[in-house]
Amino acid sequence: MFRFLSKFNFKQLTKSQADFYHANGYLVLPNIVSHQEIDKLLKRTNELVEDADLINNQMFFDTKNAPRGMSFLDTASRTGYLLEMGMIDEKGQLKVKDKKLALNKIGHAMHDLDPVFERFSYNSIFKAILQGVGYIDPILAQTMVIFKNQKFGTPVDMHTDNTYIISEPKLSCIGIWIALEDATRNNGCMFAFPKSHLTPTTYFNILDETRKNTIMIGKNPEYTKHFDPAKAECLEVTKGSVILLHGDLVHFSGHNHSSQSRHAYTLHLIEGHNNHWSKKAWLQRVPELPFKKYYQRVSEIDTF
């Protein structure tokens, strides 16, 4: 039987923790995932990167809401490797010797394709967290290893996750952000605006009419005109900590100018009870790899 190790034998959220999440749109849970489990995921990540052909399968991740294209859309059903912008030289080669330093993220279906990622992603700790904030029948839509490499790790602009993770008839995204390393102000930790989730998301990244590219629709919130970065809550956390993010919470992270990387792993889920994944959303699975009911899959893995 597989058992996911929690450093402090985490069982459930307290009422005060759940109340804080609903009131503020985020919740920090310090040191609840063991370093042993984190290191297993990091080891598997390194193996995947080592085997990946980053030159002949070039994809870049642009945080400016540029059209994505089919190579990006295909990562909905596979493991894609997205490079930081500007990491290929004039000869078509990586500018860095260490392949991992060139990466911005890996996504978005590892949790349903790779056994190590699957066992990390579908576990009783995250199930208890989701139940604690009221999710009845969640569906895990996407996962990402987010690289914030030393010196190279680029900023992530202010945004809400519901802009990209779209369910109907109700927007319902929740992000589970796991620190694979210590995240500090110096190496690009996350910042959030408490209570910003009380304003619903009105700006969405969806498929265009061809369903081969993406467009932005709705009212552009222009967050930088309304939110002062200096007034954001700094979410510094240590390795093994978890940050819950409401889908309407405005959050961002800065450039990593330090000598210490700040890698993270993120799960994005939606509520599946009387709700469903939008056919307009950029992320569309192939029929051979449907979404899985989260609680059911956790129970199945716990019986292995």
Side-chain angles (χ1 to χ4, degrees), residues 68-69 72-78 107-112 139-144 163-167 205-208 211 213-214 268-270 276-286 289-291:
R68 303 299 192 195
F72 180 87
L73 298 181
D74 286 345
T75 66
S77 303
R78 64 181 181 88
H108 295 92
M110 302 89 69
H111 58 284
D112 287 332
I139 294 168
L140 179 51
Q142 72 166 30
T143 51
M144 300 180 291
T163 289
Y164 307 96
I165 309 299
I166 306 171
S167 60
N205 181 259
I206 66 167
L207 293 172
D208 67 10
R211 299 185 71 81
N213 215 329
T214 60
H268 284 132
L269 304 99
I270 63 162
H276 62 271
W277 185 252
S278 173
K279 293 181 179 179
K280 299 177 183 178
W282 77 265
L283 192 153
Q284 298 294 327
R285 285 284 186 89
V286 295
L289 192 70
F291 292 131

Side-chain angles (χ1 to χ4, degrees), residues 90-268:
E90 63 279 0
K91 296 181 180 179
Q93 300 300 311
L94 292 177
K95 290 182 178 180
V96 290
K97 291 183 179 180
D98 184 348
K99 293 164 66 176
K100 192 161 65 175
L101 291 177
L103 285 166
N104 176 282
K105 68 174 62 176
I106 300 176
H108 295 92
M110 302 89 69
H111 58 284
D112 287 332
L113 297 172
D114 183 273
V116 175
F117 276 88
E118 181 182 49
R119 289 186 169 185
F120 188 97
S121 303
Y122 292 97
N123 71 75
S124 57
I125 296 176
F126 303 151
K127 176 182 177 180
I129 291 171
L130 291 164
Q131 290 175 325
V133 295
Y135 277 74
I136 298 172
D137 186 19
I139 294 168
L140 179 51
Q142 72 166 30
T143 51
M144 300 180 291
V145 176
I146 302 173
F147 295 89
K148 185 79 80 166
N149 285 303
Q150 56 273 33
K151 306 299 182 184
F152 300 113
T154 52
V156 176
D157 294 341
M158 294 181 193
H159 68 283
T160 70
D161 290 335
N162 273 335
T163 289
Y164 307 96
I165 309 299
I166 306 171
S167 60
E168 296 176 338
K170 181 181 178 180
L171 294 172
S172 60
C173 176
I174 184 171
I176 301 178
W177 189 98
I178 306 104
L180 302 183
E181 300 174 308
D182 293 350
T184 69
R185 187 184 294 267
N186 292 330
N187 70 357
C189 74
M190 196 182 306
F191 288 80
F193 293 97
K195 302 186 185 301
S196 60
H197 71 301
L198 299 177
T199 300
T201 298
T202 59
Y203 196 44
F204 304 102
N205 181 259
I206 66 167
L207 293 172
D208 67 10
E209 292 182 356
T210 70
R211 299 185 71 81
K212 295 180 179 179
N213 215 329
T214 60
I215 56 172
M216 301 301 299
I217 64 166
K219 183 180 179 181
N220 187 335
E222 299 182 289
Y223 294 122
T224 56
K225 291 185 178 180
H226 305 287
F227 292 95
D228 181 358
K231 296 181 179 179
E233 190 75 18
C234 178
L235 304 182
E236 291 185 305
V237 293
T238 54
K239 178 179 178 177
S241 299
V242 168
I243 303 175
L244 295 188
L245 300 167
H246 188 282
D248 288 326
L249 183 78
V250 180
H251 58 287
F252 67 97
S253 64
H255 197 291
N256 182 1
H257 293 289
S258 78
S259 59
Q260 175 62 50
S261 58
R262 190 238 68 183
H263 302 328
Y265 184 59
T266 300
L267 290 71
H268 284 132

Side-chain angles (χ1 to χ4, degrees), residues 46-71:
N46 290 336
E47 292 170 350
L48 291 175
V49 172
E50 184 61 31
D51 291 339
D53 184 351
L54 302 183
I55 297 299
N56 293 315
N57 298 285
Q58 290 181 26
M59 282 190 294
F60 297 90
F61 188 73
D62 182 355
T63 62
K64 305 300 181 182
N65 288 327
R68 303 299 192 195
M70 281 304 299
S71 59

Side-chain angles (χ1 to χ4, degrees), residues 17-31:
Q17 287 173 325
D19 288 346
F20 183 94
Y21 169 79
H22 288 299
N24 293 280
Y26 73 94
L27 177 67
V28 176
L29 298 168
N31 307 308

